[in-house]
Every structure is written in C-alpha cells, then in structure tokens.
C-alpha cells in the first residue's frame, strides 16, 4: 500500500547517496547527505506539482466535460494529491534526516511553510497557465516534461555549486534552485536564504500576472 511510497523514497535516496558520494569523493558525508536528502525531497514535490499542474485539465478531461465545476477544483485536486504523497514520503525523509547529527533550529519552520504554502501557491498560478495551454497544445506537456528532466541535473540537487563558477552564476536565475534553497538551508545550517526568498517573492507576482 502506501508504505511503498516511503520504501521507494528511502531506497532511491540510499542508492543515489552511495553513488554520488563516491563519485564526488566527498569527505563530509553528513553534510552531503543533508544536501542531497533535502534537495531531492524538495525536487520530488516541485516536479510533481509542475508536471501535474501542466496536465491538470487533460487528466480530468471526463470530469471537465461532464461536470459543471470551477476550473480551480482540478488544480486543487493535483496540489492536494502531491502534498499527500509528500506527507507520506516525509516519514522516510524525517527518519533519514534525524538519523544524522542534525540539530533543530526555529528557522526550520520556514522549510515546512515552503512545502505547505509557497510551493502550492506557485503551483496554482503555474497550473492556471500551463494547464490551459496544454489543453490546446498537448505537446506543451511533453516540452515541460523534457525541460524538467534537464533541470533535474542542471539544478544543484546532487552536486554542490562552487561559488563564482559558471554553473553557480547560471543557477542564480533558476527558480527551482531558489525554491529548493528556501527549503534546504534552514535544515542544513539553521539559516534562512534571504536572497532565494526575495527572488521567489519577486517572481510570484509575475506568475500571478501571467
């Protein structure tokens, strides 16, 4: 049943940690574990919301055509589904998280707020745009799916950016990097990434306008 959600997350994370920590030859195993764990967990929720939002109307086509319901119902359905998956996955996440020498910081509450408020809010704005575009241009979904696969490796989830490097500079304009940092930094160091928070809050009105 639902236990497979937890088992698959823990198993998938364990394999990735084993492989990437060996490739990177990272001596700070605990720090890299937190980096990978928090980044991968946040990406799972983000990618689900993005792809599910782009397909929110097409996936509910029969309901849309047969029921006279507000459009936002189908978007909310997608958001709630992926939040429920994130809640189940959080069982494995917190087991792995607190099996390290992690200390609790009050700023970590921001991590929870980003999952419960910020991610769904941005997903709602995105879905109203992408979901409608996909209705008329079905290939748009496959375009977004391809872009997410590219961003999965381009975004610092498995690798740690070197300050001042080309890749680090590029990711300063990557909203997924900033969304992950808002969640990741309070967990890792107890500090709030104000730059990432400002970047997302400034970008949010643009999503709303679109």
């Amino acid at each position: 049943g639902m236990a497979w959600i937890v088992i698959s997350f823990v198993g998938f994370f364990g394999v990735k940690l084993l492989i990437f920590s060996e490739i990177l030859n990272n001596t700070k195993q605990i720090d890299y574990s937190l980096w990978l764990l928090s980044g991968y967990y946040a990406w799972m929720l983000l990618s689900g919301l993005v792809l599910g939002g782009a397909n929110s109307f097409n996936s509910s086509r029969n309901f849309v055509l047969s029921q006279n319901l507000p459009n936002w119902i189908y978007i909310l359905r997608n958001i709630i589904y992926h939040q429920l998956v994130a809640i189940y996955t959080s069982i494995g996440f917190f087991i792995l998280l607190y099996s390290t020498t992690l200390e609790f910081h009050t700023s970590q509450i921001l991590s929870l707020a980003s999952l419960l408020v910020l991610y769904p809010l941005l997903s709602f704005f995105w879905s109203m745009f992408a979901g409608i575009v996909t209705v008329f241009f079905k290939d748009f979904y496959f375009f977004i799916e391809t872009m997410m696969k590219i961003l999965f490796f381009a975004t610092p989830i498995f690798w740690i950016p070197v300050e001042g490097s080309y890749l680090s500079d590029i990711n300063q304009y990557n909203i997924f990097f900033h969304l992950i940092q808002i969640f990741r930094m309070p967990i890792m160091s107890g500090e709030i990434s104000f730059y990432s928070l400002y970047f997302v809050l400034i970008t949010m009105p643009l999503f709303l306008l679109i």
Side-chain angles (χ1 to χ4, degrees):
M2 291 298 181
W4 281 113
I5 296 177
V6 180
I7 294 170
S8 63
F9 174 78
V10 173
F12 200 54
F13 169 77
V15 171
K16 287 189 178 295
L17 177 62
L18 180 66
I19 294 173
F20 280 92
S21 61
E22 183 68 24
I23 292 174
L24 295 175
N25 195 24
N26 196 295
T27 55
K28 297 181 178 179
Q29 186 68 20
I30 293 179
D31 290 345
Y32 181 70
S33 298
L34 291 178
W35 176 272
L36 177 58
L37 177 62
S38 55
Y40 179 61
Y41 179 72
W43 177 264
M44 282 185 60
L45 178 56
L46 283 171
S47 61
L49 290 171
V50 169
L51 292 174
N55 205 36
S56 55
F57 297 129
N58 279 349
S59 63
S60 304
R61 183 176 184 274
N62 292 333
F63 286 100
V64 173
L65 295 176
S66 62
Q67 304 293 328
N68 186 21
L69 296 173
N71 287 338
W72 59 266
I73 290 291
Y74 306 107
I75 294 174
L76 188 62
R77 171 177 172 267
N78 171 66
I79 292 174
I80 291 175
Y81 169 77
H82 285 99
Q83 280 194 310
L84 286 174
V85 171
I87 289 171
Y88 280 109
T89 309
S90 68
I91 297 172
F93 174 77
F94 284 111
I95 290 174
L96 292 168
L97 191 66
Y98 287 101
S99 63
T100 66
T101 56
L102 178 72
E103 297 181 358
F104 176 77
H105 303 281
T106 55
S107 59
Q108 290 172 357
I109 297 173
L110 181 62
S111 294
L112 184 61
S114 65
L115 292 181
L116 298 179
V117 180
L118 197 57
Y119 288 9
L121 189 59
L122 279 170
S123 174
F124 187 86
F125 298 153
W126 159 256
S127 301
M128 285 297 291
F129 165 73
I132 293 173
V133 172
T134 307
V135 169
F136 294 98
F137 306 98
K138 292 182 174 60
D139 286 338
F140 184 70
Y141 174 80
F142 297 104
F143 169 74
I144 296 299
E145 187 179 39
T146 302
M147 291 301 300
M148 292 300 291
K149 289 178 180 178
I150 295 172
L151 286 169
F152 180 62
F153 292 101
T155 304
I157 299 171
F158 304 110
W159 52 278
I160 301 175
V162 178
E163 188 175 352
S165 66
Y166 175 75
L167 287 175
S168 179
D169 293 339
I170 289 294
N171 271 288
Q172 295 305 312
Y173 303 97
N174 180 358
I175 190 171
F176 291 101
F177 168 69
H178 294 292
L179 285 168
I180 290 174
Q181 286 297 92
I182 291 173
F183 175 76
R184 174 190 273 157
M185 292 308 294
I187 289 177
M188 292 198 63
S189 61
E191 299 177 357
I192 298 174
S193 180
F194 287 104
Y195 179 79
S196 294
L197 184 61
Y198 294 152
F199 183 91
V200 172
L201 292 179
I202 291 173
T203 307
M204 191 177 295
L206 179 61
F207 276 85
L208 177 60
L209 179 63
I210 294 174

